């Protein structure tokens, strides 16, 4: 089922399938909710799975010049409220992980747990900010189609590129559908996001942190940095994945998330 919600005049699209406990999937930069479909097909056998087009990507409208992680968390909250469920397991890929962290800070009681999928809790480094500014310049010059093919190719482990030509083409097609204004709003939002290391370290919400051994954007070691992992968090590394483990190792990723969902507490807590 395809649904839509409005938040502050922002129209947000989501897909909703399966039955059971609610899992909400938040895509990354240059992606749409559709990128999750291989994983959704696995998870919806035992869960209700909602995948969101974050504002400015896919069919969700652009809300302004800067989409902060806090704003995207508020939008996600509206989607969860619309489902009628009181608790959710939030899964965020890359940019979606930044949103999940903002959500865990603002609305921890709405979460049974969260998953950082190829993501981390740090703010942008000066180098990352400069890279994003260059990308904004390219997009503003009307040349976004020259930018995203290389970005998408980097998301796959080098050893998977030839094996997953169909998946690579599909990911590039999804990226091509995102409007220039939405891409810029996301880049602006990522540049101004704060550190949320304290959210991870607080352990208020159980965490599954999934990383890729061959991630070209950041290695597992760089992602983990000096974060003090709380007792209710688990870190796992997909040994045959780059930055798209839910596509590169769909079955393994599904089993990890399903196992985590079976360990956490879903009932309301006082």
């Amino acid at each position: 089922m395809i649904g839509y919600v409005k938040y502050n005049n922002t129209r947000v699209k989501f897909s909703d399938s399966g039955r059971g406990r609610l899992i909400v999937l938040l895509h990354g930069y240059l992606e749409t909710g559709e990128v999750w479909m291989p994983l959704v097909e696995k998870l919806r056998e035992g869960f209700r799975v909602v995948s969101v087009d974050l504002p400015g990507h896919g069919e969700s409208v652009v809300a302004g010049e800067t989409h902060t992680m806090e704003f995207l968390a508020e939008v996600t909250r509206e989607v969860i409220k619309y489902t009628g469920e009181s608790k959710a397991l939030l899964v965020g890929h890359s940019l979606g992980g930044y949103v999940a962290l903002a959500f865990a800070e603002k609305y921890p009681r709405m979460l049974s747990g969260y998953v950082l999928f190829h993501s981390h809790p740090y703010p942008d480094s000066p180098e990352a900010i400069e890279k994003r500014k260059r990308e904004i310049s390219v997009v503003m010059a009307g040349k976004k189609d020259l930018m995203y093919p290389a970005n998408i190719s980097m998301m796959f482990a080098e050893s998977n590129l030839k094996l997953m030509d169909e998946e690579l083409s599909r990911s590039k097609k999804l990226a091509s559908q995102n409007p220039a204004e939405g891409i810029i709003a996301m880049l602006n939002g990522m540049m101004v996001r704060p550190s949320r290391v304290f959210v991870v370290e607080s352990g208020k919400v159980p965490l599954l942190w999934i990383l890729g051994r061959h991630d070209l954007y950041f290695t597992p070691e760089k992602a983990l940095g000096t974060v003090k992992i709380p007792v209710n968090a688990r870190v796992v590394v997909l040994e045959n994945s780059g930055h798209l483990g839910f596509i590169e190792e769909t079955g393994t990723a599904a089993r990890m998330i399903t196992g985590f969902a079976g360990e956490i507490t879903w009932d309301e807590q006082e």
Side-chain angles (χ1 to χ4, degrees):
M1 181 196 85
I2 300 299
Y4 297 87
V5 297
K6 275 192 175 181
Y7 178 71
N8 288 355
N9 296 318
T10 302
R11 184 171 180 263
V12 179
K13 175 193 172 185
F14 65 90
S15 67
D16 187 348
S17 62
R19 288 186 175 184
R21 302 291 194 180
L22 179 63
I23 297 178
V24 177
L25 306 174
L26 304 177
H27 64 77
Y29 168 60
L30 296 178
E31 299 170 352
T32 74
E34 193 177 336
V35 77
W36 293 106
M37 281 310 300
L39 185 65
V40 170
E41 291 177 2
K42 299 283 187 182
L43 294 179
R44 67 185 176 192
E45 296 174 5
F47 300 90
R48 181 181 182 185
V49 185
V50 168
S51 55
V52 182
D53 277 3
L54 292 170
H57 278 41
E59 294 185 29
S60 295
V61 300
V62 182
E65 294 183 359
T66 302
H67 288 174
T68 66
M69 302 306 105
E70 294 80 8
F71 164 70
L72 298 174
E74 291 164 7
V75 168
T76 302
R77 178 174 178 262
E78 291 304 304
V79 173
I80 294 175
K81 287 170 59 179
Y82 186 86
T83 69
E85 302 289 346
S86 60
K87 288 273 190 174
L89 170 58
L90 200 55
V91 181
H93 174 236
S94 199
L95 158 70
Y98 307 151
V99 180
L101 284 162
F103 193 104
E105 179 185 2
K106 291 171 70 71
Y107 313 113
R109 291 178 61 82
M110 293 183 68
L111 295 179
S112 292
Y114 69 111
V115 179
L116 296 181
F117 217 136
H118 305 306
S119 193
H120 60 77
Y122 313 113
D124 268 357
S125 66
E127 295 76 16
I129 289 174
E130 287 305 311
K131 181 177 182 294
R132 298 200 199 282
K133 288 180 177 178
R134 290 195 297 271
E135 290 190 351
I136 288 173
S137 297
V138 171
V139 176
M140 292 182 68
K143 299 179 180 180
K144 72 181 180 72
D145 291 346
L146 299 178
M147 176 191 70
Y148 70 78
N151 284 22
I152 299 301
S153 294
M154 279 185 61
M155 291 185 183
F156 289 82
E158 186 176 355
S159 58
N160 289 332
L161 280 174
K162 292 183 179 179
L163 299 173
M164 297 185 171
D165 184 65
E166 183 176 339
E167 291 85 352
L168 175 62
S169 297
R170 177 173 170 271
S171 293
K172 288 180 178 180
K173 182 179 179 180
L174 293 177
S176 71
Q177 298 170 359
N178 294 317
E181 296 83 359
I183 293 173
I184 291 171
M186 289 296 202
L187 287 166
N188 282 331
M190 286 189 286
M191 284 194 291
V192 299
R193 75 183 190 281
S195 170
R196 287 197 164 89
V197 170
F198 70 94
V199 175
V200 174
E201 294 184 339
S202 73
K204 286 185 178 180
V205 182
L207 165 65
L208 173 62
W209 197 345
I210 303 175
L211 299 163
R213 177 61 64 197
H214 307 287
D215 196 325
L216 297 177
Y217 285 93
F218 45 82
T219 65
E221 292 75 18
K222 183 177 180 180
L224 294 170
T226 58
V227 176
K228 298 175 182 177
I229 306 299
V231 295
N232 62 346
R234 189 198 324 163
V235 178
V236 293
V237 177
L238 295 173
E239 295 295 336
N240 300 306
S241 290
H243 196 65
L244 288 171
F246 54 92
I247 294 176
E248 296 171 280
E249 294 185 71
T250 306
T252 301
R255 287 191 294 273
M256 288 178 175
I257 293 171
T258 298
F260 181 61
E263 296 169 1
I264 58 181
T265 300
W266 288 83
D267 297 331
E268 287 287 345
Q269 298 178 6
E270 295 299 329

